[in-house]
Amino acid sequence: MAEIRNINVRKNDIELTLSISREEYKIIQNNTRDLIVLPYNTETLRYSLTTGKLGNSNRIMMPKKVLQLFKIKELDKKIPSTIFTLNSDCFLLSKIKKSTKGIPKFRDD
């Protein structure tokens, strides 16, 4: 995740210096405009959405083709999320899959 290294506040501008990972840099590519900087932590993602079949108004649905494109086999059941409003546009930020790298899984046979 990105970290803010320096904040320079001027009259009408706020200038940020960021430290980002190579993976984040690949996502940005050569885009220098229309970027969003959002906090990502448990305080920010304080609303819980349920993934799964239709039926409840608080469910988030993802097309199978999109999940397959990103090699996501299944979504977590309860996902942390929030909505940000910027310039009258609304953005949904959700953590749809928790990383399990390095966490051993034990099963009963």
Side-chain angles (χ1 to χ4, degrees), residues 40 48-52 59-60 62 67 72-80 94-100 105:
Y40 167 73
S48 180
L49 293 178
T50 304
T51 63
R59 294 190 186 264
I60 182 134
M62 293 290 297
L67 294 175
I72 299 172
K73 294 181 181 176
E74 62 182 46
L75 298 174
D76 292 342
K77 189 66 175 170
K78 296 284 187 180
I79 58 173
S94 297
K95 181 179 179 180
I96 60 172
K97 190 70 181 164
K98 192 183 304 181
S99 173
T100 56
K105 292 184 179 180

Side-chain angles (χ1 to χ4, degrees), residues 69-95:
L69 180 66
F70 290 95
K71 297 180 177 117
I72 299 172
K73 294 181 181 176
E74 62 182 46
L75 298 174
D76 292 342
K77 189 66 175 170
K78 296 284 187 180
I79 58 173
S81 59
T82 196
I83 295 176
F84 293 94
T85 303
L86 300 167
N87 300 327
S88 300
D89 294 328
C90 295
F91 299 90
L92 173 67
L93 176 64
S94 297
K95 181 179 179 180

